[in-house]
PDB file of all heavy atoms in Angstrom:
ATOM      1  N   PRO A 197       0.834  -1.213   0.011  1.00  0.00           N
ATOM      2  CA  PRO A 197      -0.013   0.001  -0.013  1.00  0.00           C
ATOM      3  C   PRO A 197       0.871   1.246  -0.006  1.00  0.00           C
ATOM      4  O   PRO A 197       1.891   1.308   0.674  1.00  0.00           O
ATOM      5  CB  PRO A 197      -0.814  -0.105   1.278  1.00  0.00           C
ATOM      6  CG  PRO A 197       0.003  -1.017   2.166  1.00  0.00           C
ATOM      7  CD  PRO A 197       0.746  -1.971   1.227  1.00  0.00           C
ATOM      8  N   ARG A 198       0.487   2.227  -0.782  1.00  0.00           N
ATOM      9  CA  ARG A 198       1.217   3.474  -0.904  1.00  0.00           C
ATOM     10  C   ARG A 198       0.300   4.674  -0.746  1.00  0.00           C
ATOM     11  O   ARG A 198      -0.769   4.717  -1.349  1.00  0.00           O
ATOM     12  CB  ARG A 198       1.928   3.513  -2.241  1.00  0.00           C
ATOM     13  CG  ARG A 198       2.908   2.383  -2.443  1.00  0.00           C
ATOM     14  CD  ARG A 198       3.699   2.487  -3.732  1.00  0.00           C
ATOM     15  NE  ARG A 198       4.457   1.313  -3.999  1.00  0.00           N
ATOM     16  CZ  ARG A 198       5.702   1.100  -3.533  1.00  0.00           C
ATOM     17  NH1 ARG A 198       6.248   1.965  -2.745  1.00  0.00           N
ATOM     18  NH2 ARG A 198       6.338  -0.012  -3.818  1.00  0.00           N
ATOM     19  N   ALA A 199       0.800   5.643   0.001  1.00  0.00           N
ATOM     20  CA  ALA A 199       0.057   6.898   0.180  1.00  0.00           C
ATOM     21  C   ALA A 199       0.189   7.786  -1.060  1.00  0.00           C
ATOM     22  O   ALA A 199       1.273   7.844  -1.669  1.00  0.00           O
ATOM     23  CB  ALA A 199       0.605   7.634   1.382  1.00  0.00           C
ATOM     24  N   ARG A 200      -0.936   8.391  -1.409  1.00  0.00           N
ATOM     25  CA  ARG A 200      -0.903   9.344  -2.509  1.00  0.00           C
ATOM     26  C   ARG A 200      -1.137  10.762  -1.988  1.00  0.00           C
ATOM     27  O   ARG A 200      -0.563  11.707  -2.510  1.00  0.00           O
ATOM     28  CB  ARG A 200      -1.961   8.986  -3.538  1.00  0.00           C
ATOM     29  CG  ARG A 200      -1.880   9.817  -4.795  1.00  0.00           C
ATOM     30  CD  ARG A 200      -2.829   9.317  -5.851  1.00  0.00           C
ATOM     31  NE  ARG A 200      -4.218   9.583  -5.404  1.00  0.00           N
ATOM     32  CZ  ARG A 200      -5.302   9.015  -5.862  1.00  0.00           C
ATOM     33  NH1 ARG A 200      -5.172   8.050  -6.745  1.00  0.00           N
ATOM     34  NH2 ARG A 200      -6.485   9.314  -5.405  1.00  0.00           N
ATOM     35  N   GLU A 201      -1.989  10.894  -1.000  1.00  0.00           N
ATOM     36  CA  GLU A 201      -2.279  12.205  -0.388  1.00  0.00           C
ATOM     37  C   GLU A 201      -2.399  12.028   1.140  1.00  0.00           C
ATOM     38  O   GLU A 201      -2.887  10.966   1.599  1.00  0.00           O
ATOM     39  CB  GLU A 201      -3.610  12.784  -0.916  1.00  0.00           C
ATOM     40  CG  GLU A 201      -3.596  13.103  -2.383  1.00  0.00           C
ATOM     41  CD  GLU A 201      -4.977  13.584  -2.844  1.00  0.00           C
ATOM     42  OE1 GLU A 201      -5.763  14.117  -2.007  1.00  0.00           O
ATOM     43  OE2 GLU A 201      -5.254  13.448  -4.010  1.00  0.00           O
ATOM     44  N   VAL A 202      -2.001  13.045   1.857  1.00  0.00           N
ATOM     45  CA  VAL A 202      -2.089  13.044   3.296  1.00  0.00           C
ATOM     46  C   VAL A 202      -2.692  14.358   3.749  1.00  0.00           C
ATOM     47  O   VAL A 202      -2.283  15.416   3.267  1.00  0.00           O
ATOM     48  CB  VAL A 202      -0.664  12.851   3.946  1.00  0.00           C
ATOM     49  CG1 VAL A 202      -0.749  12.924   5.464  1.00  0.00           C
ATOM     50  CG2 VAL A 202      -0.021  11.553   3.480  1.00  0.00           C
ATOM     51  N   SER A 203      -3.619  14.274   4.715  1.00  0.00           N
ATOM     52  CA  SER A 203      -4.117  15.532   5.306  1.00  0.00           C
ATOM     53  C   SER A 203      -4.255  15.288   6.822  1.00  0.00           C
ATOM     54  O   SER A 203      -4.628  14.195   7.265  1.00  0.00           O
ATOM     55  CB  SER A 203      -5.425  15.958   4.675  1.00  0.00           C
ATOM     56  OG  SER A 203      -6.438  15.001   4.906  1.00  0.00           O
ATOM     57  N   VAL A 204      -3.907  16.322   7.567  1.00  0.00           N
ATOM     58  CA  VAL A 204      -4.021  16.229   8.994  1.00  0.00           C
ATOM     59  C   VAL A 204      -4.846  17.398   9.487  1.00  0.00           C
ATOM     60  O   VAL A 204      -4.481  18.519   9.352  1.00  0.00           O
ATOM     61  CB  VAL A 204      -2.593  16.313   9.641  1.00  0.00           C
ATOM     62  CG1 VAL A 204      -2.708  16.062  11.165  1.00  0.00           C
ATOM     63  CG2 VAL A 204      -1.620  15.333   9.036  1.00  0.00           C
ATOM     64  N   GLY A 205      -5.987  17.040  10.058  1.00  0.00           N
ATOM     65  CA  GLY A 205      -6.886  18.069  10.620  1.00  0.00           C
ATOM     66  C   GLY A 205      -6.605  18.260  12.091  1.00  0.00           C
ATOM     67  O   GLY A 205      -5.588  17.814  12.632  1.00  0.00           O
ATOM     68  N   GLU A 206      -7.559  18.863  12.772  1.00  0.00           N
ATOM     69  CA  GLU A 206      -7.391  19.133  14.223  1.00  0.00           C
ATOM     70  C   GLU A 206      -7.418  17.807  15.039  1.00  0.00           C
ATOM     71  O   GLU A 206      -6.789  17.759  16.067  1.00  0.00           O
ATOM     72  CB  GLU A 206      -8.516  20.049  14.690  1.00  0.00           C
ATOM     73  CG  GLU A 206      -8.307  21.485  14.294  1.00  0.00           C
ATOM     74  CD  GLU A 206      -7.036  22.094  14.905  1.00  0.00           C
ATOM     75  OE1 GLU A 206      -6.810  21.912  16.109  1.00  0.00           O
ATOM     76  OE2 GLU A 206      -6.282  22.717  14.141  1.00  0.00           O
ATOM     77  N   ASP A 207      -8.197  16.830  14.578  1.00  0.00           N
ATOM     78  CA  ASP A 207      -8.323  15.611  15.356  1.00  0.00           C
ATOM     79  C   ASP A 207      -8.273  14.315  14.564  1.00  0.00           C
ATOM     80  O   ASP A 207      -8.605  13.289  15.061  1.00  0.00           O
ATOM     81  CB  ASP A 207      -9.573  15.659  16.200  1.00  0.00           C
ATOM     82  CG  ASP A 207     -10.833  15.859  15.407  1.00  0.00           C
ATOM     83  OD1 ASP A 207     -10.744  15.912  14.154  1.00  0.00           O
ATOM     84  OD2 ASP A 207     -11.912  15.966  15.980  1.00  0.00           O
ATOM     85  N   GLU A 208      -7.867  14.422  13.257  1.00  0.00           N
ATOM     86  CA  GLU A 208      -7.892  13.230  12.402  1.00  0.00           C
ATOM     87  C   GLU A 208      -6.765  13.262  11.364  1.00  0.00           C
ATOM     88  O   GLU A 208      -6.509  14.320  10.790  1.00  0.00           O
ATOM     89  CB  GLU A 208      -9.232  13.133  11.712  1.00  0.00           C
ATOM     90  CG  GLU A 208      -9.467  11.868  10.905  1.00  0.00           C
ATOM     91  CD  GLU A 208     -10.876  11.803  10.410  1.00  0.00           C
ATOM     92  OE1 GLU A 208     -11.217  12.592   9.522  1.00  0.00           O
ATOM     93  OE2 GLU A 208     -11.594  10.928  10.851  1.00  0.00           O
ATOM     94  N   LEU A 209      -6.167  12.125  11.153  1.00  0.00           N
ATOM     95  CA  LEU A 209      -5.183  11.951  10.061  1.00  0.00           C
ATOM     96  C   LEU A 209      -5.855  11.141   8.966  1.00  0.00           C
ATOM     97  O   LEU A 209      -6.481  10.071   9.246  1.00  0.00           O
ATOM     98  CB  LEU A 209      -3.968  11.146  10.559  1.00  0.00           C
ATOM     99  CG  LEU A 209      -2.998  10.595   9.506  1.00  0.00           C
ATOM    100  CD1 LEU A 209      -2.270  11.737   8.816  1.00  0.00           C
ATOM    101  CD2 LEU A 209      -2.003   9.661  10.196  1.00  0.00           C
ATOM    102  N   THR A 210      -5.810  11.628   7.749  1.00  0.00           N
ATOM    103  CA  THR A 210      -6.444  10.956   6.609  1.00  0.00           C
ATOM    104  C   THR A 210      -5.409  10.747   5.555  1.00  0.00           C
ATOM    105  O   THR A 210      -4.646  11.632   5.199  1.00  0.00           O
ATOM    106  CB  THR A 210      -7.631  11.797   6.049  1.00  0.00           C
ATOM    107  OG1 THR A 210      -8.564  12.035   7.097  1.00  0.00           O
ATOM    108  CG2 THR A 210      -8.294  11.058   4.903  1.00  0.00           C
ATOM    109  N   VAL A 211      -5.372   9.503   5.065  1.00  0.00           N
ATOM    110  CA  VAL A 211      -4.385   9.146   4.026  1.00  0.00           C
ATOM    111  C   VAL A 211      -5.168   8.470   2.886  1.00  0.00           C
ATOM    112  O   VAL A 211      -5.900   7.501   3.038  1.00  0.00           O
ATOM    113  CB  VAL A 211      -3.336   8.117   4.546  1.00  0.00           C
ATOM    114  CG1 VAL A 211      -2.338   7.769   3.484  1.00  0.00           C
ATOM    115  CG2 VAL A 211      -2.588   8.715   5.763  1.00  0.00           C
ATOM    116  N   LEU A 212      -5.007   9.083   1.706  1.00  0.00           N
ATOM    117  CA  LEU A 212      -5.623   8.484   0.479  1.00  0.00           C
ATOM    118  C   LEU A 212      -4.532   7.613  -0.173  1.00  0.00           C
ATOM    119  O   LEU A 212      -3.453   8.077  -0.398  1.00  0.00           O
ATOM    120  CB  LEU A 212      -6.060   9.613  -0.476  1.00  0.00           C
ATOM    121  CG  LEU A 212      -6.693   9.168  -1.752  1.00  0.00           C
ATOM    122  CD1 LEU A 212      -7.964   8.351  -1.483  1.00  0.00           C
ATOM    123  CD2 LEU A 212      -6.949  10.349  -2.637  1.00  0.00           C
ATOM    124  N   LEU A 213      -4.868   6.349  -0.397  1.00  0.00           N
ATOM    125  CA  LEU A 213      -3.917   5.431  -0.970  1.00  0.00           C
ATOM    126  C   LEU A 213      -4.013   5.413  -2.517  1.00  0.00           C
ATOM    127  O   LEU A 213      -5.013   5.758  -3.075  1.00  0.00           O
ATOM    128  CB  LEU A 213      -4.199   4.025  -0.454  1.00  0.00           C
ATOM    129  CG  LEU A 213      -4.121   3.853   1.085  1.00  0.00           C
ATOM    130  CD1 LEU A 213      -4.371   2.383   1.456  1.00  0.00           C
ATOM    131  CD2 LEU A 213      -2.836   4.372   1.628  1.00  0.00           C
ATOM    132  N   ALA A 214      -2.914   4.966  -3.126  1.00  0.00           N
ATOM    133  CA  ALA A 214      -2.825   4.926  -4.558  1.00  0.00           C
ATOM    134  C   ALA A 214      -3.867   4.010  -5.164  1.00  0.00           C
ATOM    135  O   ALA A 214      -4.334   4.254  -6.310  1.00  0.00           O
ATOM    136  CB  ALA A 214      -1.440   4.485  -4.976  1.00  0.00           C
ATOM    137  N   ASP A 215      -4.343   2.998  -4.434  1.00  0.00           N
ATOM    138  CA  ASP A 215      -5.362   2.116  -4.957  1.00  0.00           C
ATOM    139  C   ASP A 215      -6.805   2.567  -4.718  1.00  0.00           C
ATOM    140  O   ASP A 215      -7.739   1.829  -4.979  1.00  0.00           O
ATOM    141  CB  ASP A 215      -5.181   0.673  -4.347  1.00  0.00           C
ATOM    142  CG  ASP A 215      -5.374   0.620  -2.850  1.00  0.00           C
ATOM    143  OD1 ASP A 215      -5.834   1.602  -2.252  1.00  0.00           O
ATOM    144  OD2 ASP A 215      -5.055  -0.467  -2.302  1.00  0.00           O
ATOM    145  N   GLY A 216      -6.940   3.794  -4.182  1.00  0.00           N
ATOM    146  CA  GLY A 216      -8.253   4.355  -4.008  1.00  0.00           C
ATOM    147  C   GLY A 216      -8.839   4.267  -2.572  1.00  0.00           C
ATOM    148  O   GLY A 216      -9.795   4.909  -2.269  1.00  0.00           O
ATOM    149  N   ARG A 217      -8.239   3.422  -1.774  1.00  0.00           N
ATOM    150  CA  ARG A 217      -8.732   3.362  -0.348  1.00  0.00           C
ATOM    151  C   ARG A 217      -8.344   4.618   0.383  1.00  0.00           C
ATOM    152  O   ARG A 217      -7.402   5.316   0.097  1.00  0.00           O
ATOM    153  CB  ARG A 217      -8.100   2.167   0.358  1.00  0.00           C
ATOM    154  CG  ARG A 217      -8.617   0.872  -0.169  1.00  0.00           C
ATOM    155  CD  ARG A 217      -8.016  -0.340   0.567  1.00  0.00           C
ATOM    156  NE  ARG A 217      -6.626  -0.457   0.168  1.00  0.00           N
ATOM    157  CZ  ARG A 217      -5.743  -1.325   0.682  1.00  0.00           C
ATOM    158  NH1 ARG A 217      -6.162  -2.118   1.701  1.00  0.00           N
ATOM    159  NH2 ARG A 217      -4.526  -1.437   0.227  1.00  0.00           N
ATOM    160  N   LYS A 218      -9.139   4.891   1.471  1.00  0.00           N
ATOM    161  CA  LYS A 218      -8.875   6.029   2.332  1.00  0.00           C
ATOM    162  C   LYS A 218      -8.836   5.545   3.764  1.00  0.00           C
ATOM    163  O   LYS A 218      -9.727   4.818   4.217  1.00  0.00           O
ATOM    164  CB  LYS A 218      -9.948   7.100   2.150  1.00  0.00           C
ATOM    165  CG  LYS A 218      -9.707   8.328   3.017  1.00  0.00           C
ATOM    166  CD  LYS A 218     -10.571   9.588   2.686  1.00  0.00           C
ATOM    167  CE  LYS A 218     -12.019   9.301   2.645  1.00  0.00           C
ATOM    168  NZ  LYS A 218     -12.818  10.532   2.544  1.00  0.00           N
ATOM    169  N   ILE A 219      -7.779   5.928   4.512  1.00  0.00           N
ATOM    170  CA  ILE A 219      -7.625   5.579   5.884  1.00  0.00           C
ATOM    171  C   ILE A 219      -7.817   6.851   6.676  1.00  0.00           C
ATOM    172  O   ILE A 219      -7.139   7.867   6.466  1.00  0.00           O
ATOM    173  CB  ILE A 219      -6.197   5.059   6.180  1.00  0.00           C
ATOM    174  CG1 ILE A 219      -5.842   3.894   5.275  1.00  0.00           C
ATOM    175  CG2 ILE A 219      -6.067   4.651   7.617  1.00  0.00           C
ATOM    176  CD1 ILE A 219      -4.350   3.529   5.289  1.00  0.00           C
ATOM    177  N   SER A 220      -8.646   6.813   7.741  1.00  0.00           N
ATOM    178  CA  SER A 220      -8.790   7.970   8.648  1.00  0.00           C
ATOM    179  C   SER A 220      -8.670   7.418  10.044  1.00  0.00           C
ATOM    180  O   SER A 220      -9.385   6.440  10.428  1.00  0.00           O
ATOM    181  CB  SER A 220     -10.145   8.640   8.464  1.00  0.00           C
ATOM    182  OG  SER A 220     -10.252   9.246   7.200  1.00  0.00           O
ATOM    183  N   VAL A 221      -7.759   8.021  10.823  1.00  0.00           N
ATOM    184  CA  VAL A 221      -7.546   7.605  12.188  1.00  0.00           C
ATOM    185  C   VAL A 221      -7.490   8.793  13.110  1.00  0.00           C
ATOM    186  O   VAL A 221      -7.101   9.909  12.647  1.00  0.00           O
ATOM    187  CB  VAL A 221      -6.228   6.766  12.329  1.00  0.00           C
ATOM    188  CG1 VAL A 221      -6.318   5.442  11.548  1.00  0.00           C
ATOM    189  CG2 VAL A 221      -5.050   7.555  11.834  1.00  0.00           C
ATOM    190  N   PRO A 222      -7.823   8.615  14.375  1.00  0.00           N
ATOM    191  CA  PRO A 222      -7.773   9.772  15.298  1.00  0.00           C
ATOM    192  C   PRO A 222      -6.362  10.230  15.567  1.00  0.00           C
ATOM    193  O   PRO A 222      -5.444   9.380  15.709  1.00  0.00           O
ATOM    194  CB  PRO A 222      -8.386   9.218  16.565  1.00  0.00           C
ATOM    195  CG  PRO A 222      -8.875   7.850  16.278  1.00  0.00           C
ATOM    196  CD  PRO A 222      -8.343   7.391  14.986  1.00  0.00           C
ATOM    197  N   LEU A 223      -6.124  11.495  15.631  1.00  0.00           N
ATOM    198  CA  LEU A 223      -4.796  12.011  15.973  1.00  0.00           C
ATOM    199  C   LEU A 223      -4.393  11.648  17.389  1.00  0.00           C
ATOM    200  O   LEU A 223      -3.191  11.615  17.669  1.00  0.00           O
ATOM    201  CB  LEU A 223      -4.764  13.549  15.814  1.00  0.00           C
ATOM    202  CG  LEU A 223      -4.434  14.087  14.509  1.00  0.00           C
ATOM    203  CD1 LEU A 223      -4.207  15.616  14.598  1.00  0.00           C
ATOM    204  CD2 LEU A 223      -3.241  13.442  13.861  1.00  0.00           C
ATOM    205  N   ALA A 224      -5.357  11.347  18.212  1.00  0.00           N
ATOM    206  CA  ALA A 224      -5.019  10.958  19.600  1.00  0.00           C
ATOM    207  C   ALA A 224      -4.121   9.737  19.621  1.00  0.00           C
ATOM    208  O   ALA A 224      -3.428   9.480  20.599  1.00  0.00           O
ATOM    209  CB  ALA A 224      -6.334  10.701  20.399  1.00  0.00           C
TER     210      ALA A 224
END
């Protein structure tokens, strides 16, 4: 799996993968 885009909000990390999946996890 490879990251294509990364964004970090106030309370969540979101990673868009090259295969189209999206991972969102709490910054905590």
Side-chain angles (χ1 to χ4, degrees):
R198 298 185 190 274
R200 187 174 69 200
E201 295 177 25
V202 176
S203 63
V204 186
E206 285 297 314
D207 57 3
E208 186 175 68
L209 168 67
T210 302
V211 180
L212 181 61
L213 302 182
D215 64 9
R217 290 180 288 174
K218 181 167 54 170
I219 306 167
S220 294
V221 295
L223 270 190

